[in-house]
Amino acid sequence: MPEHQLDPTKWVDAYSDYLYNYTIVRVNDHEVAQDLISETFFAGLKSAPNFKGEASERTWLISILKRKIIDHYRKKNSKKGKAEVRIEYRDEDSEGAWLEERVKDPFDRTAEDTMENEELGEAILKCLDSLNDKQATIFKMKTIHNFDTEAICNEFEITPSNLWVIIHRARTAMAKCLENNWL
């Protein structure tokens, strides 16, 4: 016998606030968050016969919502040619990271594309050189080499808050530099 049962008549009252809070930090748009929650409830109703009762209602709805958020970003980014979506998630039952990439065919390049990429690469290196040594090193460690936050903080004897301030300032400086030197 299943441990948990579904009661869709109570979903809105019992879970809408929790689902909204979960969604809004991931999509940062009130209307999109509401739409995704509505889609989640609808998908839950449609797939209710498949509910095995192994997870709680809320956990099951969150798993549906996670897929809806991923689909939202897939749809949003499919129009951009090349996009990367990272979604960090944490709830009472699990945590992790999703990474979705959409990349153009690497063999479908023109000479102009290649030249543009080389110019961008040179501009990025020039902009990295314009950062102070600590900013540049931390930026490369976190953004390019994907070092763990804790490892960087330990190496530089800084707090995670300080790390994110440094990363933010480096990104801002890089964006401004690229705007001036590449665009």
Side-chain angles (χ1 to χ4, degrees):
M1 179 156 179
E3 264 186 68
H4 303 280
Q5 299 290 321
L6 292 181
D7 187 358
T9 62
K10 296 181 181 175
W11 287 356
V12 172
D13 292 333
Y15 306 117
S16 59
D17 288 342
Y18 179 81
L19 295 176
Y20 178 80
N21 290 333
Y22 181 90
T23 307
I24 195 66
V25 297
R26 285 156 181 82
V27 298
N28 200 27
D29 184 309
H30 174 73
E31 288 181 20
V32 171
Q34 287 181 327
D35 290 345
L36 290 171
I37 294 165
S38 297
E39 289 175 25
T40 298
F41 287 147
F42 183 67
L45 287 171
K46 282 176 59 176
S47 60
N50 301 329
F51 180 72
K52 296 176 184 172
E54 296 169 356
S56 70
E57 253 182 342
R58 185 172 91 167
T59 300
W60 184 68
L61 288 169
I62 283 289
S63 70
I64 294 170
L65 179 58
K66 288 174 185 176
R67 288 190 293 272
K68 295 294 178 190
I69 293 170
I70 288 173
D71 290 345
H72 163 74
Y73 280 110
R74 277 186 185 149
K75 183 178 177 183
K76 181 178 176 181
N77 289 314
S78 67
K79 298 171 187 163
K80 294 182 181 177
K82 180 179 179 181
E84 176 180 282
V85 178
R86 290 178 188 261
I87 301 176
E88 300 290 328
Y89 66 92
R90 180 174 292 125
D91 60 35
E92 65 187 35
D93 299 320
S94 61
E95 65 179 277
W98 286 306
L99 174 65
E100 287 287 330
E101 289 186 302
R102 302 226 177 220
V103 183
K104 286 184 185 179
D105 181 356
F107 301 106
D108 187 23
R109 287 194 174 173
T110 65
E112 188 177 315
D113 291 336
T114 303
M115 189 169 70
E116 188 173 304
N117 284 342
E118 288 174 8
E119 289 173 359
L120 174 60
E122 289 173 15
I124 288 172
L125 290 174
K126 183 178 178 181
C127 290
L128 276 171
D129 287 341
S130 72
L131 298 176
N132 71 48
D133 289 338
K134 184 177 180 179
Q135 260 188 340
T137 303
I138 289 174
F139 180 81
K140 288 178 200 173
M141 288 175 75
K142 186 66 180 167
T143 307
I144 297 170
H145 302 297
N146 294 319
F147 274 68
D148 183 56
T149 297
E150 187 176 344
I152 297 170
C153 290
N154 288 340
E155 184 170 330
F156 287 90
E157 297 178 353
I158 58 175
T159 66
S161 295
N162 291 13
L163 171 70
W164 292 114
V165 168
I166 292 167
I167 295 291
H168 173 73
R169 288 179 180 164
R171 285 181 180 151
T172 302
M174 290 288 292
K176 188 174 184 178
C177 180
L178 285 171
E179 190 174 295
N180 293 332
N181 294 302
W182 188 65
L183 296 177

